[in-house]
Amino acid sequence: NASFEYRFPLAYPYGGPGTIPFFFNSWHAALVADAITLEGGYYDSAGGAADAVLRQSVLGVYYVGAGAELKGDIQLFYYLPLTIKLGYYNGFTQKAFGGSGNFFFGLSSIF
């Protein structure tokens, strides 16, 4: 398993709209790439999603994907830190449901 992430800052506004208890701390973007080899199974999508067949995978066959993310660190109600993430990811192994990108939206918090 290998993973790469290059993160870079976009803005540090440290402000919000008027007196509403909601403000932005920072915005950053990231380029990500992942690769994995496994001994186990994957679903072969050659016949489409409805006809996917479980296939055996051996060590040495690599599954690779890459994507881009936009993340924002925000503060809500003066004490609740949140991170919002919008990403687009694409797998490169066609027979394992790769080739068509997927969008992702996430919301997380650490207290």
Side-chain angles (χ1 to χ4, degrees), residues 46-72:
D51 299 324
V53 177
L54 183 62
R55 303 277 187 203
Q56 181 177 358
S57 180
V58 296
L59 290 176
V61 176
Y62 289 90
Y63 301 93
V64 180
E69 301 173 340
L70 175 65
K71 296 179 184 179

Side-chain angles (χ1 to χ4, degrees), residues 60-101:
V61 176
Y62 289 90
Y63 301 93
V64 180
E69 301 173 340
L70 175 65
K71 296 179 184 179
D73 295 322
I74 61 176
Q75 193 80 20
L76 186 61
F77 299 118
Y78 304 110
Y79 61 89
L80 182 61
L82 295 173
T83 299
I84 55 175
K85 181 193 322 185
L86 178 63
Y88 178 79
Y89 310 98
N90 186 32
F92 299 126
T93 307
Q94 295 284 65
K95 64 182 180 180
F97 288 97
S100 61

